[in-house]
Amino acid sequence: MSQFKKVTIVGPLAPPAGGMANQTKKLAEFLRSENVSVDVIRTNPDYKPAFIGKIPVLRALFRLVSYKLTLIMRLKNTDVIHIMANSGWSWHLFAAPAIIFGRLYNKPVIVNYRGGYAADFFSKSWFWVNLTLKKSQAIIVPSVFLQEVFDDFGKESVVIPNVLDKNLFFQTDKPTSDKSPHLIVTRNLEAIYDVATTVRAFALVKKEYPQAYLSIAGTGPEKKPLTALITDLNLEDSVSFTGRLGPEEMANLYQQADIMLNASTVDNTPNSIIEALACATPVVTTDAGGIPKLVTHQHDALLVNIADHQKMAEGVIDILNSETLQKTLINNGLNTIEKFYWVNVWLKLKACYDESIINNRVK
């Protein structure tokens, strides 16, 4: 029998959409499906009144004060506190206060740490991070990559994968076209995701498959330079920006695509790769950060070096030219993502919650 009836999750929710925001939403939904009462304290709530959001300094101060007051009022009425944590100022401004207030109420605190910058952040700020981190009952991470980072700093962590919604992301019968393959990119248009490399790779693929086309799903500050690059490469008629897509739209995009490209330069366990594999869409990705801990070259994905658009293009062409390689990557990919389904995640998460509650009582 569970030791808990209510869980409070501290984390962001869309908008804006993003990996952590999506995971916060899904975690709350799946916990409720297990008859667990869930309270979500947003780290990015809407500004009320709305005009405050237009005043830079005031909006930051307003959000922090409002956030801390919310923590004080709502953390005392829960059995477990589950904090979605990240590197940089996000840790200091949102995760650390939640840990401190949680412990003031003597509640078991679970820190769910994610993000590809962990090693760099810890090396610069470990004294302050550890000062609050040691107050938690458990640290959970979504990948072996991050677990190894914590090991390097002498902290034990438990790997509990991101949860994948199998009702959204699943294999379907794809439209087949040998002559006009559909490639997709599903990362935000930010420098760390290096979408420019995927565009350059696509330009090379076009020489082999003139009717190929590329859909870029996401928004961000890199759109203007990417648009200029697309123009320079004469790809205007073959590349489209879909803008930000909702979960259902994103799932449909994976299910209609032939190959997903990922050129990130910093990463942990990208949900985009997991979702693509679940939809039986082969993946060509860089080997940034924790990606080699998630997928294996020529087993369930093709891996290339960061910024190597030539090898990325060659990987795409290899997949398009080989039905055997396609089937290998698809079948192995579907096996790889089994651990991300809720039925498996729930077993580990429930055990972690129960153990944390018991350990907190002992203390």
Side-chain angles (χ1 to χ4, degrees):
M1 185 175 178
S2 297
Q3 302 285 324
F4 58 93
K5 293 182 179 180
K6 182 175 182 179
V7 174
T8 297
I9 305 173
V10 180
L13 289 173
M20 188 182 289
N22 292 337
Q23 282 297 300
T24 301
K25 179 176 182 290
K26 284 300 171 186
L27 178 59
E29 289 176 357
F30 282 119
L31 283 171
R32 288 173 182 137
S33 74
E34 301 293 342
N35 296 317
V36 176
S37 175
V38 179
D39 181 23
V40 178
I41 297 178
R42 290 185 65 176
T43 55
N44 62 339
D46 297 331
Y47 294 102
K48 295 180 180 180
F51 76 86
I52 291 175
K54 300 178 181 179
I55 308 173
V57 176
L58 180 60
R59 70 188 181 196
L61 181 62
F62 182 86
R63 174 165 283 179
L64 283 176
V65 171
S66 174
Y67 172 66
K68 290 182 179 180
L69 287 174
T70 302
L71 293 176
I72 291 170
M73 290 187 293
R74 288 161 59 182
L75 287 184
K76 60 184 176 181
N77 298 314
T78 193
D79 298 315
V80 179
I81 300 169
H82 185 132
I83 301 171
M84 308 293 276
N86 208 335
S87 304
W89 281 107
S90 174
W91 170 267
H92 299 299
L93 297 178
F94 300 114
I99 295 171
I100 292 168
F101 285 121
R103 293 310 297 145
L104 285 175
Y105 289 126
N106 195 32
K107 302 294 183 180
V109 173
I110 312 293
V111 175
N112 189 343
Y113 203 98
R114 51 197 57 236
Y117 284 114
D120 290 341
F121 176 56
F122 290 171
S123 65
K124 297 173 184 175
S125 307
W126 182 247
F127 174 81
W128 298 107
V129 173
N130 190 44
L131 201 62
T132 46
L133 193 61
K134 64 185 180 182
K135 298 179 185 295
S136 65
Q137 271 59 56
I139 303 167
I140 61 178
V141 291
S143 68
V144 173
F145 170 72
L146 274 180
Q147 186 180 48
E148 291 176 350
V149 171
F150 275 98
D151 285 345
D152 290 341
F153 286 84
K155 283 289 184 183
E156 182 179 346
S157 60
V158 178
V159 176
I160 299 181
N162 289 336
V163 62
L164 174 69
D165 189 343
K166 65 188 303 182
N167 293 320
L168 267 184
F169 300 97
F170 54 88
Q171 182 179 15
T172 60
D173 293 329
K174 293 179 181 290
T176 57
S177 175
D178 296 333
K179 295 183 179 180
S180 56
H182 182 195
L183 279 58
I184 61 172
V185 175
T186 57
R187 307 307 298 263
N188 280 333
L189 311 183
E190 300 172 13
I192 63 170
Y193 299 127
D194 192 16
V195 178
T197 286
T198 65
V199 172
R200 294 189 179 96
F202 176 70
L204 298 179
V205 172
K206 282 278 289 182
K207 295 179 180 179
E208 185 89 10
Y209 289 88
Q211 296 181 53
Y213 60 107
L214 174 68
S215 297
I216 301 174
T219 58
E222 294 295 305
K223 184 174 182 179
K224 187 174 180 179
L226 285 169
T227 301
L229 175 62
I230 290 166
T231 300
D232 290 343
L233 296 173
N234 296 315
L235 297 173
E236 302 100 308
D237 296 334
S238 304
V239 180
S240 63
F241 291 95
T242 71
R244 191 182 300 281
L245 300 180
E248 294 82 4
E249 296 170 309
M250 189 69 81
N252 184 65
L253 183 64
Y254 286 123
Q255 290 160 351
Q256 297 298 314
D258 294 294
I259 296 174
M260 193 275 275
L261 303 180
N262 175 63
S264 53
T265 61
V266 177
D267 231 320
N268 174 28
T269 306
N271 287 330
S272 56
I273 292 179
I274 297 167
E275 291 165 357
L277 297 181
C279 295
T281 303
V283 172
V284 183
T285 176
T286 55
D287 56 2
I291 292 175
K293 303 288 185 181
L294 172 63
V295 288
T296 303
H297 182 52
Q298 294 186 334
H299 175 72
D300 45 14
L302 297 186
L303 276 66
V304 302
N305 292 333
I306 292 171
D308 193 339
H309 69 278
Q310 178 74 45
K311 288 294 185 184
M312 180 166 281
E314 291 175 7
V316 171
I317 293 169
D318 286 345
I319 293 172
L320 293 176
N321 288 345
S322 173
E323 187 176 343
T324 299
L325 179 58
Q326 290 176 33
K327 289 182 178 179
T328 296
L329 297 178
I330 288 172
N331 291 336
N332 290 334
L334 291 170
N335 289 330
T336 294
I337 53 88
E338 286 287 336
K339 61 180 172 286
F340 298 100
Y341 291 134
W342 176 248
V343 65
N344 298 318
V345 174
W346 172 234
L347 291 175
K348 293 185 176 183
L349 192 59
K350 180 178 178 296
C352 181
Y353 286 169
D354 283 336
E355 184 176 354
S356 297
I357 291 171
I358 292 170
N359 290 342
N360 189 54
R361 288 171 181 166
V362 171
K363 289 183 180 180

